[in-house]
Amino acid sequence: MSQLLYEGKAKQIYSTENPEEVLIHYKDDATAGNGAKKAQFEDKGVLNAAISTMIFEYLIENGIKTHLIKQVNDRDVLCEKIDIVLLEVIMRNIATGSLTSRLGIKEGTKLNPPILEFCYKKDEFNDPLINTDHALALGLATREEIETISEEARKINQLLIKLFAEIGIELVDFKVEFGRNPKGEIVLADEISPDTCRLWDVETHSKLDKDRFRQDLGNVIDAYREIHKRLLARKEK
Ligand code: TMP
């Protein structure tokens, strides 16, 4: 019998018959501002399950270790059960969002080199920005794990920049999470989707990600559909 192990803002995690595997169920719920703003978008879960799976498959083909086993239906993805590292790992290629408000860097400035940031996954404190020393002092990961996570995040960034460029999208920034798999290896976990990335159309500069919801720009699900359509067309080539 499958049991609900954890419920997050956009996903649920269920146990499976195999104690080393879980089922990740993608919901239609959307939140912003740490849950301050809430809505539901029909089919967002279906689109994100498909988008994230296509992106993880591409990363696996390119040598990145992940928790993905396989997508089993339109909303459920079978994954290795991991011990999540309580870090949100953010990579930024172009300044926007909290970076511009925090440091006064002009919106749209190209960041060279890309900026890697860590936030502590702790809703009660609004996922605060931290550095490696904080992560070590909090016991979130070992120094070696933090080095692996940083190297993997930079590799993932380069691979994703290339993937999105192929479908006419500029990868502005994104957030990823890592975990320890049953073998104790650090692997990419969680999801990569328009919920967790900023994606700008190369030609029109329109935003094709969750900023449409955060900033009340409308046509949220149309943007997710567009990303799904372009990734699928690339895959089927
Ligand atoms: P930020 O500019 O709000 O700090 O966001 C940076 C990137 O991280 C952006 O692509 C959105 C993503 N992100 C999440 O996926 N989850 C979060 O909780 C936050 C704060 C950001």
Side-chain angles (χ1 to χ4, degrees), residues 3 6 23 31 46 50 56 60 86-87 91-93 137-139 164 170 172 201 213 218 221 223 226 231 233 235:
Q3 267 187 320
Y6 172 81
L23 213 50
T31 65
V46 174
F56 271 60
I60 292 166
L86 293 179
L87 286 173
M91 287 292 324
R92 300 180 184 275
N93 297 308
L138 285 162
F164 282 113
E170 190 158 36
V172 175
D201 185 273
F213 170 58
I221 218 64
E226 182 63 27
L231 281 172
K235 191 176 145 179

Side-chain angles (χ1 to χ4, degrees), residues 6-7 10 14 18 20 25 29 33 77 85 93 108 119 144 150 155-156 168 185-186 188 195 197 224 227-228 232 237:
Y6 172 81
E7 175 138 23
Y14 290 92
N18 183 338
E20 294 194 344
H25 178 82
D29 302 66
V77 182
V85 175
N93 297 308
C119 291
E144 198 191 353
S150 306
K155 271 191 228 162
I156 291 165
E185 300 163 326
I186 289 286
L188 177 68
D195 271 8
C197 302
Y224 286 53
I227 296 296
H228 178 252
L232 202 58
K237 247 193 223 161

